[in-house]
């Protein structure tokens, strides 16, 4: 078992803000050789990203608390769990994944009041919280969450389906979210993230639009020169 120097809000607060955060989606890991992939990325990852889907809110069925518990024993890096689940189970799932070892839980703004309760619960249980927005949902829907979260993540593709192209609306939506954070006085404290459609040609566009992290799937796991890929990521600059 690997000891973690920080956990929960402390681990999330310690993430770098002077360069892009390297957030790795473990959905793109080799699921048969999971432990070896974790060891391969450990020197480069800032934040592990684990998707959870109930087959209803999102079309896939993904992952489960026992897996998170196992991963937590194998990494010193923080774990971000993205809950793509219906409102009627989001609070229970928040508790289960924090108990399994998640450092941060992100819920969907579309979960409404249940999502807000889940955010409060996450913090009560000693974890950090984030909010995610589906591509088709107006960006303004994140506003009730921004005072109580550390991450705002915008999906740039349809939810829960891998391999899609980035929506032409994605960058403008990041700009709108950034403006909401600025107006709320939270631009310096909340990380703005992009998830979906992450390609070599799209990451610079997302970075320029204000993304402080992108959820890396095959772009990282499929690159034999992972050190070079992460060096490239760290070098990208946000537009003024």
């Amino acid at each position: 078992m690997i000891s973690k120097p920080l956990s929960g809000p402390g681990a999330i607060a310690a993430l770098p803000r002077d360069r892009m955060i390297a957030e790795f989606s473990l959905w793109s890991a080799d699921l048969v050789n999971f432990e070896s992939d974790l060891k391969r990325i450990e020197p480069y990852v800032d934040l592990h990203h684990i998707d959870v889907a109930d087959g209803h809110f999102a079309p896939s069925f993904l992952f489960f608390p026992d897996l998170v518990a196992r991963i937590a024993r194998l990494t010193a890096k923080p774990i971000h769990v993205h809950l793509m689940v219906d409102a009627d189970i989001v609070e229970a799932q928040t508790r289960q994944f924090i108990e399994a070892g998640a450092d941060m839980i992100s819920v969907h703004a579309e979960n409404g009041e249940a999502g807000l309760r889940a955010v409060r619960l996450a913090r009560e249980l000693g974890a950090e919280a984030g909010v995610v927005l589906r591509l088709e949902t107006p960006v303004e829907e994140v506003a009730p969450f921004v005072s109580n979260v550390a991450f705002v993540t915008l999906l740039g593709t349809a939810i829960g389906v891998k391999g899609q192209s980035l929506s032409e609306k994605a960058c403008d939506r990041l700009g709108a979210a950034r403006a909401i954070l600025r107006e709320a006085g939270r631009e310096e404290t909340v990380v703005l993230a992009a998830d979906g459609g992450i390609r070599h040609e799209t990451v610079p566009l997302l970075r320029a639009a204000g993304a402080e992290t992108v959820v890396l799937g095959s772009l990282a796991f499929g690159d034999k020169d992972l050190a070079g890929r992460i060096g490239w990521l760290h070098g990208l600059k946000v537009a003024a």
Side-chain angles (χ1 to χ4, degrees), residues 44-219:
Y44 309 107
V45 62
D46 294 313
L47 183 64
H48 293 296
H49 183 104
I50 299 175
D51 288 304
V52 174
D54 61 2
H56 188 244
F57 186 85
S60 304
F61 286 98
L62 298 164
F63 284 111
F64 45 91
D66 286 351
L67 178 64
V68 171
R70 177 62 177 152
I71 292 167
R73 297 187 189 102
L74 297 173
T75 181
K77 304 301 176 66
I79 296 171
H80 176 196
V81 171
H82 169 202
L83 294 179
M84 297 181 283
V85 302
D86 277 341
D88 58 353
I89 63 170
V90 68
E91 291 166 85
Q93 293 277 283
T94 293
R95 180 180 296 276
Q96 289 175 30
F97 279 95
I98 290 171
E99 290 175 350
D103 296 283
M104 179 167 67
I105 300 287
S106 280
V107 304
H108 270 264
E110 295 86 359
N111 288 151
E113 288 297 323
L116 289 167
R117 292 195 299 271
V119 164
R120 291 192 292 270
L121 176 62
R123 298 174 71 91
E124 289 169 6
L125 294 175
E128 191 52 272
V131 64
V132 188
L133 205 63
R134 296 172 71 127
L135 178 61
E136 66 271 22
T137 302
V139 177
E140 293 74 20
E141 296 295 317
V142 302
F145 291 83
V146 297
S147 62
N148 291 302
V149 297
F151 266 54
V152 169
T153 301
L154 300 189
L155 300 187
T157 60
I159 193 169
V161 181
K162 293 172 76 172
Q164 300 176 78
S165 297
L166 184 71
S167 169
E168 62 184 16
K169 301 183 292 184
C171 290
D172 287 344
R173 286 169 61 81
L174 282 169
R178 193 178 181 188
I180 290 170
L181 292 173
R182 186 181 302 120
E183 185 175 349
R186 297 281 286 162
E187 187 178 15
E188 300 301 318
T189 53
V190 175
V191 173
L192 185 59
D195 187 359
I198 305 305
R199 305 284 185 272
H200 180 82
E201 64 274 13
T202 62
V203 175
L205 302 176
L206 294 165
R207 176 59 164 161
E212 296 173 81
T213 181
V214 294
V215 180
L216 298 165
S218 59
L219 186 65

